[in-house]
Amino acid sequence: MTTALPAPCDESIGFQAADEACEHKNGVLTATILGSSLAFVMGSIVNVALPSMQADFATDAQGAQWIINSYLLPVGALVLLGGALGDHYGRKLVFQAGLIVFTLATIACALAPNFATLLAMRAIQGLGAALLAPNSLAIISTSFREAERGKAIGTWAGMGAFAGAIAPVLGGWAVDLANWRWAFAIIIPLAILALVVSHRSIVESLDGNGERSPLDWAGAFLITLGLAALVWTLTALPQTNTANWAKWLVGSATVATIGLFVIVEKRKQDQAMVPLDLFNTASFAGISLLTLFLYAALGGLLVLLPFLLINAGGYSATQTGFAILPFPLTMALLSRYAGGLSDRFGVRAILTVGPAIVAVGFLYFSFLDSIQINYWRDIFPALMIIALGMTASVAPLTTAVMASVSDEHGGIASGINNAISRSAGLIATALLGFVLVGSDSGNGALVAGFANAALVGSILALVSAIAAWFLIRLKTAP
């Protein structure tokens, strides 16, 4: 990688030069933290605002799903391409382009006059997030020397976790104080600030000086089309007003498109967006399955729980944000201590126990059978169990991804794992129609549907634990 960066913060370069270097690096951290956090927290803010948005546009359960998935679809499908674009054309350029696209789309979402416009702008928002999210970490890696990089990444991750904790509370407060449009409006000044700071502080960097491999546009197009068709099919399945022949037609197109994607990626080999040879390693395949099932369970919960609390529990949006707060707050506070668990007990053991704990939490939720929801009895214990299980899983999972492949494939393996986790949430949200459609019959049906979905989530988490135990061969973290 080549980059023209000022010298690191060091007294040996003189007090003024050191101050300028420190100011530059603080600016890099500020810009990347703001930019990536905006992309990550947008989902949790919309989850809290979803019932208000659904009521305002008078849309059905299928419409509510598309409010979420129109954003998740481009993020999940294009996040790998976004990172590759940064390597090719400049990480600062692509990061700033993503910020501009994200900010303009967010403004348009806040002003959307109708439902179709909202969905279109949400998709453009997702495109912006797919450009800025992967390049934020790459910018940190090229802006800090190796001795400083770990601390910088730790700060970036810690502040991201804090933003994830506070986002549902701020989003709920904005919805209650004004309306759902302000849930979008409150992040616009932060996005503009990130753009200004990034312009002043980030120095452009490219991946090497020589000839670079061509971008995998065919793979990006096919996976986007395939995921879109899959999401439409899964969303339409419980809908009685959609013809069965249309479901079969689009479902068949899904299989064909994803099959064609696999063929294209196989032929491109190392130049593919998703090098399929990585999955020949049992550990990487096991980690990918674990990620798919575990994050599918989690993605469904983070959409359904706010919906349940507001519609069946009578919570305000602000109260819902505070009710969910123990989950991200626990992960933010304990994650720094979870990283050493894999060193002590082994990656395989931790990645089996962590998802198994998550499965217990979902199983607790599955016993919910009363529309008179008691938070401390029905919600808080399960939420804390899931938080502890996820805390034990996330840091070792990141370590395991990097340890399961060779050094030269570490970046792409991490990106693939990121894309799998986002796609898992996308698929889970598409399947929630079976619960949300039934919610039209009353709060009792919504509670029963939530309990059934929690049982499915428990099974998914358990399957992820089984995949870890039988496939992951990493004994200890490197």
Side-chain angles (χ1 to χ4, degrees):
M1 298 180 189
T2 61
T3 179
L5 295 177
C9 304
D10 192 327
E11 290 185 4
S12 64
I13 63 176
F15 290 112
Q16 182 177 358
D19 288 343
E20 291 174 354
C22 290
E23 182 180 356
H24 157 79
K25 293 186 177 183
N26 289 336
V28 170
L29 269 179
T30 300
T32 53
I33 288 169
L34 282 173
S36 60
S37 295
L38 292 174
F40 294 146
V41 305
M42 192 71 253
S44 57
I45 290 177
V46 169
N47 288 344
V48 175
L50 184 61
S52 176
M53 298 168 73
Q54 185 182 10
D56 193 21
F57 287 111
T59 186
D60 57 10
Q62 190 174 20
Q65 290 169 274
W66 278 110
I67 291 175
I68 298 170
N69 279 343
S70 57
Y71 176 80
L72 291 179
L73 176 60
V75 177
L78 300 177
V79 67
L80 285 174
L81 183 63
L85 285 169
D87 293 341
H88 277 67
Y89 300 115
R91 298 180 179 95
K92 177 180 179 179
L93 174 65
V94 177
F95 177 81
Q96 289 191 306
L99 270 174
I100 292 171
V101 170
F102 184 89
T103 304
L104 293 177
T106 302
I107 295 171
C109 285
L111 301 174
N114 53 58
F115 188 64
T117 301
L118 176 68
L119 294 187
M121 294 304 103
R122 286 281 287 160
I124 296 176
Q125 241 192 345
L127 173 61
L131 295 177
L132 67 90
N135 286 290
S136 63
L137 188 56
I139 287 170
I140 291 177
S141 296
T142 58
S143 299
F144 291 83
R145 62 183 183 181
E146 188 172 353
E148 302 170 311
R149 197 174 300 150
K151 183 178 179 180
I153 292 175
T155 303
W156 174 82
M159 293 303 296
F162 174 77
I166 200 172
V169 177
L170 289 180
W173 171 77
V175 172
D176 287 337
L177 185 66
N179 55 49
W180 64 265
R181 296 180 186 275
W182 283 93
F184 289 93
I186 59 174
I187 70 171
I188 294 172
L190 297 177
I192 295 174
L193 177 62
L195 187 61
V196 173
V197 175
S198 67
H199 178 71
R200 294 180 55 185
S201 301
I202 298 175
V203 178
E204 187 59 278
S205 62
L206 295 171
D207 190 12
N209 290 321
E211 183 180 350
R212 294 180 290 273
S213 301
L215 293 168
D216 186 8
W217 293 107
F221 172 77
L222 288 172
I223 194 59
T224 303
L225 185 62
L227 280 176
L230 176 62
V231 169
W232 186 92
T233 303
L234 296 177
T235 304
L237 279 178
Q239 302 289 331
T240 57
N241 58 352
T242 303
N244 286 332
W245 65 265
K247 299 175 186 178
W248 278 103
L249 180 62
V250 179
S252 300
T254 300
V255 175
T257 304
I258 294 178
L260 186 58
F261 168 76
V262 171
I263 293 173
V264 169
E265 298 303 276
K266 188 68 175 176
R267 288 181 176 177
K268 286 181 176 288
Q269 297 182 347
D270 285 343
Q271 295 183 3
M273 186 172 71
V274 181
L276 298 181
D277 288 345
L278 293 179
F279 294 93
N280 292 337
T281 304
S283 292
F284 186 75
I287 291 167
S288 300
L289 288 174
L290 182 154
T291 302
L292 178 66
F293 291 119
L294 186 61
Y295 279 86
L298 185 65
L301 172 72
L302 295 179
V303 175
L304 272 183
L305 186 56
F307 205 86
L308 174 80
L309 293 175
I310 292 174
N311 288 286
Y315 285 45
S316 68
T318 305
Q319 289 173 325
T320 300
F322 276 109
I324 298 171
L325 184 60
F327 176 76
L329 197 59
T330 299
M331 292 190 65
L333 293 175
L334 298 182
S335 288
R336 63 177 297 184
Y337 303 106
L341 292 175
S342 55
D343 289 330
R344 184 172 182 181
F345 300 105
V347 173
R348 180 190 183 197
I350 292 301
L351 290 182
T352 301
V353 172
I357 294 174
V358 173
V360 173
F362 274 99
L363 187 62
Y364 189 106
F365 267 135
S366 71
F367 292 115
L368 185 65
D369 61 357
S370 171
I371 60 174
Q372 299 299 322
I373 297 174
N374 183 300
Y375 177 77
W376 298 107
R377 179 195 65 202
D378 300 325
I379 305 298
F380 182 76
L383 208 57
M384 288 302 297
I385 294 171
I386 294 173
L388 291 173
M390 288 301 299
T391 301
S393 303
V394 171
L397 177 60
T398 303
T399 302
V401 170
M402 303 301 290
S404 64
V405 298
S406 59
D407 290 344
E408 69 235 40
H409 291 115
I412 190 66
S414 178
I416 291 172
N417 191 260
N418 191 327
I420 289 173
S421 67
R422 294 171 184 274
S423 299
L426 174 72
I427 294 169
T429 305
L431 286 169
L432 292 182
F434 291 98
V435 176
L436 298 178
V437 169
S439 68
D440 297 335
S441 303
N443 291 339
L446 176 58
V447 171
F450 177 84
N452 291 333
L455 181 59
V456 174
S458 179
I459 295 171
L460 291 175
L462 187 59
V463 170
S464 69
I466 293 171
W469 179 255
F470 284 102
L471 292 176
I472 294 178
R473 297 290 182 262
L474 305 171
K475 299 299 182 184
T476 57

Coordinates of all heavy atoms in Angstrom, one line a residue, residues 289-327:
L289 N -20.9 -20.5 8.2 CA -22.2 -21.1 8.6 C -22.6 -20.5 10.0 O -23.8 -20.2 10.2 CB -22.1 -22.6 8.7 CG -22.0 -23.3 7.3 CD1 -21.8 -24.8 7.5 CD2 -23.3 -23.1 6.5
L290 N -21.6 -20.5 10.9 CA -21.9 -19.9 12.2 C -22.5 -18.5 12.1 O -23.5 -18.1 12.7 CB -20.7 -20.0 13.1 CG -20.8 -19.4 14.5 CD1 -19.7 -20.1 15.4 CD2 -20.6 -17.9 14.6
T291 N -21.8 -17.7 11.3 CA -22.1 -16.3 11.1 C -23.5 -16.2 10.5 O -24.4 -15.4 10.9 CB -21.1 -15.6 10.2 OG1 -19.8 -15.7 10.8 CG2 -21.5 -14.1 10.0
L292 N -23.8 -17.0 9.5 CA -25.1 -16.9 8.8 C -26.2 -17.2 9.7 O -27.2 -16.4 9.8 CB -25.1 -17.9 7.6 CG -26.4 -18.1 6.8 CD1 -26.7 -16.8 6.1 CD2 -26.3 -19.2 5.9
F293 N -26.2 -18.3 10.5 CA -27.3 -18.7 11.3 C -27.4 -17.8 12.6 O -28.5 -17.4 13.0 CB -27.1 -20.2 11.7 CG -27.3 -21.1 10.6 CD1 -26.3 -22.0 10.2 CD2 -28.5 -21.2 9.9 CE1 -26.4 -22.9 9.2 CE2 -28.7 -22.1 8.9 CZ -27.6 -22.9 8.5
L294 N -26.3 -17.4 13.2 CA -26.3 -16.6 14.4 C -26.8 -15.2 14.1 O -27.7 -14.7 14.8 CB -24.9 -16.6 15.0 CG -24.8 -15.9 16.4 CD1 -25.6 -16.6 17.4 CD2 -23.3 -15.8 16.8
Y295 N -26.4 -14.6 13.0 CA -26.8 -13.3 12.7 C -28.2 -13.2 12.1 O -28.9 -12.2 12.1 CB -25.8 -12.6 11.8 CG -24.6 -12.0 12.6 CD1 -23.5 -12.8 12.9 CD2 -24.7 -10.7 13.1 CE1 -22.5 -12.3 13.7 CE2 -23.6 -10.2 13.9 CZ -22.5 -11.0 14.1 OH -21.5 -10.5 14.9
A296 N -28.6 -14.3 11.5 CA -30.0 -14.4 11.1 C -30.9 -14.4 12.3 O -32.0 -13.7 12.3 CB -30.3 -15.7 10.3
A297 N -30.6 -15.1 13.3 CA -31.4 -15.1 14.6 C -31.4 -13.7 15.2 O -32.4 -13.2 15.6 CB -30.8 -16.1 15.6
L298 N -30.2 -13.1 15.3 CA -30.1 -11.8 15.9 C -30.8 -10.7 15.1 O -31.5 -9.8 15.6 CB -28.6 -11.4 16.0 CG -28.3 -10.1 16.8 CD1 -28.8 -10.2 18.2 CD2 -26.8 -9.8 16.7
G299 N -30.7 -10.8 13.7 CA -31.3 -9.8 12.9 C -32.8 -9.8 13.0 O -33.5 -8.7 13.1
G300 N -33.4 -11.0 13.1 CA -34.9 -11.1 13.3 C -35.3 -10.5 14.6 O -36.3 -9.8 14.7
L301 N -34.5 -10.7 15.7 CA -34.9 -10.2 17.0 C -34.9 -8.7 17.0 O -35.8 -8.1 17.6 CB -33.9 -10.8 18.0 CG -34.0 -10.2 19.5 CD1 -35.3 -10.7 20.1 CD2 -32.8 -10.5 20.3
L302 N -33.8 -8.1 16.5 CA -33.7 -6.7 16.6 C -34.8 -5.9 15.8 O -35.0 -4.7 16.0 CB -32.3 -6.2 16.1 CG -31.1 -6.7 16.9 CD1 -29.8 -6.3 16.3 CD2 -31.3 -6.3 18.4
V303 N -35.4 -6.6 14.9 CA -36.6 -6.0 14.2 C -37.9 -6.2 14.9 O -38.7 -5.3 15.2 CB -36.7 -6.5 12.7 CG1 -38.0 -6.0 12.1 CG2 -35.5 -6.1 11.9
L304 N -38.0 -7.5 15.4 CA -39.3 -7.9 16.0 C -39.5 -7.3 17.4 O -40.6 -6.9 17.8 CB -39.4 -9.4 16.1 CG -40.0 -10.1 14.9 CD1 -40.1 -11.6 15.2 CD2 -41.4 -9.6 14.6
L305 N -38.4 -7.2 18.2 CA -38.5 -6.8 19.6 C -39.1 -5.4 19.7 O -40.0 -5.1 20.5 CB -37.2 -6.9 20.3 CG -37.2 -6.6 21.9 CD1 -38.3 -7.5 22.5 CD2 -35.9 -6.9 22.5
P306 N -38.6 -4.3 19.0 CA -39.2 -3.0 19.1 C -40.6 -3.0 18.6 O -41.5 -2.4 19.2 CB -38.3 -2.2 18.2 CG -37.0 -2.9 18.1 CD -37.4 -4.3 18.2
F307 N -40.9 -3.8 17.6 CA -42.3 -3.9 17.1 C -43.2 -4.5 18.2 O -44.3 -4.0 18.4 CB -42.3 -4.8 15.8 CG -43.4 -4.5 14.9 CD1 -43.3 -3.6 13.9 CD2 -44.6 -5.3 15.0 CE1 -44.4 -3.3 13.1 CE2 -45.7 -5.0 14.2 CZ -45.6 -4.0 13.2
L308 N -42.7 -5.5 18.9 CA -43.5 -6.1 20.0 C -43.8 -5.1 21.1 O -44.9 -5.0 21.6 CB -42.8 -7.3 20.5 CG -43.4 -8.0 21.7 CD1 -44.6 -8.9 21.3 CD2 -42.4 -8.9 22.4
L309 N -42.7 -4.5 21.6 CA -42.8 -3.6 22.7 C -43.7 -2.4 22.4 O -44.5 -2.0 23.3 CB -41.4 -3.1 23.1 CG -40.4 -4.1 23.7 CD1 -39.1 -3.5 23.9 CD2 -41.0 -4.7 24.9
I310 N -43.7 -1.8 21.2 CA -44.5 -0.7 20.9 C -46.0 -1.1 20.6 O -46.9 -0.5 21.2 CB -43.9 0.0 19.7 CG1 -42.6 0.7 20.0 CG2 -44.9 1.1 19.1 CD1 -41.9 1.3 18.8
N311 N -46.2 -2.1 19.9 CA -47.5 -2.5 19.5 C -48.3 -3.3 20.6 O -49.5 -3.1 20.8 CB -47.5 -3.3 18.2 CG -47.2 -2.4 17.0 OD1 -48.1 -1.6 16.6 ND2 -46.0 -2.4 16.5
A312 N -47.6 -4.3 21.2 CA -48.2 -5.1 22.2 C -48.0 -4.7 23.6 O -48.8 -4.8 24.5 CB -47.7 -6.6 22.0
G313 N -46.8 -4.1 23.8 CA -46.5 -3.6 25.2 C -46.9 -2.2 25.5 O -46.9 -1.8 26.7
G314 N -47.3 -1.4 24.5 CA -47.7 -0.1 24.7 C -46.6 0.9 25.0 O -46.8 2.0 25.6
Y315 N -45.3 0.5 24.7 CA -44.2 1.3 25.0 C -44.1 2.5 24.0 O -44.6 2.4 22.8 CB -42.9 0.6 24.8 CG -42.6 -0.4 25.9 CD1 -43.5 -1.2 26.5 CD2 -41.3 -0.5 26.5 CE1 -43.3 -2.1 27.5 CE2 -41.0 -1.4 27.5 CZ -42.0 -2.2 28.0 OH -41.7 -3.1 29.0
S316 N -43.6 3.6 24.4 CA -43.3 4.7 23.5 C -42.0 4.4 22.8 O -41.3 3.4 23.2 CB -43.1 6.0 24.2 OG -42.0 6.0 25.1
A317 N -41.7 5.1 21.7 CA -40.4 4.8 21.0 C -39.2 5.0 21.9 O -38.2 4.3 21.9 CB -40.3 5.7 19.8
T318 N -39.2 6.1 22.8 CA -38.1 6.3 23.7 C -38.0 5.2 24.7 O -36.9 4.7 25.0 CB -38.3 7.7 24.4 OG1 -38.5 8.7 23.5 CG2 -37.1 8.0 25.3
Q319 N -39.1 4.8 25.3 CA -39.1 3.7 26.2 C -38.5 2.4 25.6 O -37.8 1.6 26.2 CB -40.5 3.4 26.8 CG -41.0 4.5 27.7 CD -42.4 4.3 28.1 OE1 -43.3 3.8 27.3 NE2 -42.8 4.6 29.3
T320 N -38.9 2.2 24.3 CA -38.4 1.0 23.6 C -36.9 1.1 23.4 O -36.1 0.1 23.6 CB -39.0 0.9 22.2 OG1 -40.5 0.8 22.4 CG2 -38.5 -0.3 21.4
G321 N -36.3 2.3 23.1 CA -34.9 2.5 23.0 C -34.2 2.1 24.3 O -33.2 1.5 24.3
F322 N -34.7 2.6 25.4 CA -34.1 2.3 26.7 C -34.3 0.8 27.1 O -33.4 0.2 27.7 CB -34.8 3.1 27.8 CG -34.2 4.5 27.9 CD1 -34.9 5.6 27.5 CD2 -32.9 4.7 28.4 CE1 -34.3 6.9 27.6 CE2 -32.3 6.0 28.6 CZ -33.0 7.1 28.2
A323 N -35.4 0.2 26.6 CA -35.6 -1.2 26.9 C -34.6 -2.1 26.2 O -34.2 -3.1 26.8 CB -37.0 -1.6 26.5
I324 N -34.2 -1.7 25.0 CA -33.2 -2.5 24.3 C -31.8 -2.1 24.7 O -30.9 -2.9 24.5 CB -33.4 -2.2 22.8 CG1 -34.8 -2.6 22.3 CG2 -32.4 -2.9 21.9 CD1 -35.2 -2.2 20.9
L325 N -31.6 -1.0 25.4 CA -30.2 -0.5 25.7 C -29.3 -1.5 26.4 O -28.1 -1.6 26.1 CB -30.4 0.8 26.5 CG -29.1 1.5 26.9 CD1 -28.3 1.9 25.7 CD2 -29.4 2.7 27.8
P326 N -29.8 -2.4 27.3 CA -28.9 -3.3 28.0 C -28.2 -4.2 27.0 O -27.0 -4.7 27.3 CB -29.9 -4.1 28.9 CG -31.0 -3.2 29.2 CD -31.2 -2.4 27.9
F327 N -28.8 -4.5 25.9 CA -28.1 -5.4 24.9 C -26.8 -4.8 24.3 O -25.7 -5.4 24.5 CB -29.1 -5.9 23.8 CG -28.5 -6.7 22.7 CD1 -28.2 -8.0 23.0 CD2 -28.2 -6.2 21.5 CE1 -27.6 -8.8 22.0 CE2 -27.6 -6.9 20.5 CZ -27.3 -8.3 20.8

